[in-house]
Amino acid sequence: MIYGYPDVGRHGLGHSLLAWGRCQLWCRDRSAQPLAPRWLRLRLGPYLRRERDKRNYFLLFRSGNAIGGLRKAWILARTRKVEEGDAANLDPARPAIVVFRSIPDNDVRRDFAALRGEGAWLRDQLEAMTLPRHLPGGPAYPHVAIHVRMGDFSVSDPDRARSGQQNVRTGIDWFTGALEALRASLGESIPAIVYSDGREEELSPLLRLPSVVRAPPRSAVTDLLSIARADALIGSGSGFSIWGSLLGDVPRLSAPGQQLTRVLALEDAEIELQPGAAVPERFAERVLRRRPVSG
């Protein structure tokens, strides 16, 4: 038997899920059996930075379609391990574990390339391993998700952001302008929900806009799956934003230089919006097509 094991590391959820996603798809395509990740990791950074999300991901998940518990421990202890890059010529008659690691250089462009177009299937697997109390509740309704990443990202620097630098905050003024531009293109004041680790005073220019609310404090996976239910996403240069778009096939607006990569199969559904620019009609059409047909 060949197994796949995602070594998710101590990263945030968006980055940790990259190893998990690659492992899930590899096992599916090769009829291998996935092993559940080890989510119980010591993460001091979120406590030292006093972040809202302490990244205690072991409280969010069960095994889902993967092998967990004592059986996983037995397999890990007794089976030879092979790195992902060396797995092409495995002999299926010889038991082995292919290890998928969270890439230390945080190259989301490369990692997400393997997941492009697989959002619906990965979302099913993620929901299957998420404990029921952390799944989003209630019916979906037309709205925009706005993901404002602050936390451990460095202070906004427009020049660095435009150059494609990762882990840089996007200025709050860009988010307010992007929402106003999207509403103008749609011809309506579509409601918006803000997902952020920022403080209220940092988000106030955005929260003061009409029909904008902040999501209540919930787990990271609840927020991620909630973003995947939106009609559009105004995102940060963050793997978390990219995952939200991927899992729900959600059209995504990004600041200049902060799209980082494309993950949707649809054309015109992922664009970088310049400050003060109008949202293209084709993007607005993609948003409107996500709504259920009435009657």
Side-chain angles (χ1 to χ4, degrees):
M1 171 62 77
I2 304 297
Y3 304 93
Y5 176 61
D7 184 354
V8 297
R10 293 183 173 84
H11 309 285
L13 184 62
H15 191 54
S16 295
L17 284 175
L18 285 169
W20 169 84
R22 297 198 318 276
C23 178
Q24 284 283 324
L25 291 170
W26 190 90
C27 288
R28 181 199 67 182
D29 295 342
R30 292 161 180 80
S31 299
Q33 180 64 58
L35 303 176
R38 180 168 72 86
W39 293 107
L40 181 57
R41 310 270 183 163
L42 179 63
R43 296 175 171 90
L44 294 178
Y47 290 92
L48 295 175
R49 292 187 294 268
R50 299 182 179 181
E51 296 178 9
R52 297 178 81 194
D53 179 15
K54 298 302 188 287
R55 304 187 183 184
N56 293 322
Y57 302 140
F58 67 96
L59 299 174
L60 310 181
F61 300 120
R62 53 190 174 184
S63 298
N65 70 341
I67 297 172
L70 293 176
R71 186 182 172 201
K72 181 187 82 170
W74 185 87
I75 293 170
L76 285 171
R78 297 177 59 90
T79 309
R80 69 188 180 100
K81 298 174 180 60
V82 177
E83 293 297 318
E84 177 183 1
D86 299 323
N89 299 314
L90 281 176
D91 180 357
R94 292 188 62 200
I97 298 170
V98 178
V99 180
F100 297 80
R101 302 187 186 278
S102 291
I103 306 300
D105 62 7
N106 198 28
D107 189 345
V108 297
R109 299 173 181 86
R110 177 183 59 202
D111 284 4
F112 274 110
L115 311 182
R116 186 177 181 184
E118 296 285 359
W121 188 84
L122 288 169
R123 180 177 178 177
D124 287 344
Q125 309 315 309
L126 181 58
E127 289 181 343
M129 77 174 190
T130 298
L131 291 171
R133 65 177 177 273
H134 293 294
L135 293 172
Y141 63 92
H143 71 281
V144 176
I146 305 177
H147 178 229
V148 185
R149 177 69 179 268
M150 293 186 174
D152 55 351
F153 274 24
S154 59
V155 177
S156 178
D157 182 330
D159 291 335
R160 289 175 60 198
R162 279 193 294 269
S163 70
Q165 175 72 44
Q166 298 179 43
N167 302 328
V168 178
R169 294 184 185 183
T170 298
I172 198 69
D173 290 344
W174 178 83
F175 288 100
T176 60
L179 177 59
E180 290 172 338
L182 178 59
R183 285 174 165 176
S185 184
L186 293 173
E188 61 180 87
S189 292
I190 185 171
I193 302 176
V194 177
Y195 301 86
S196 180
D197 54 2
R199 300 188 303 274
E200 292 289 325
E201 57 269 25
E202 294 174 310
L203 301 171
S204 61
L206 186 56
L207 297 176
R208 285 198 299 264
L209 294 178
S211 301
V212 176
V213 298
R214 184 173 190 175
R218 299 177 301 182
S219 71
V221 73
T222 308
D223 283 351
L224 186 60
L225 291 170
S226 297
I227 290 172
R229 302 173 72 184
D231 290 273
L233 169 62
I234 300 173
S236 297
S238 160
F240 198 87
S241 286
I242 300 172
W243 268 109
S245 178
L246 171 68
L247 293 172
D249 203 26
V250 182
R252 175 169 58 108
L253 295 176
S254 303
Q258 293 301 295
Q259 184 181 96
L260 302 186
T261 188
R262 290 176 52 85
V263 291
L264 304 183
L266 294 173
E267 295 294 329
D268 306 312
E270 296 167 283
I271 65 172
E272 292 188 350
L273 187 68
Q274 297 292 330
V279 171
E281 288 186 13
R282 289 280 291 170
F283 185 91
E285 290 172 2
R286 296 294 187 195
V287 174
L288 293 172
R289 286 179 189 174
R290 293 177 57 79
R291 300 183 181 179
V293 177
S294 60

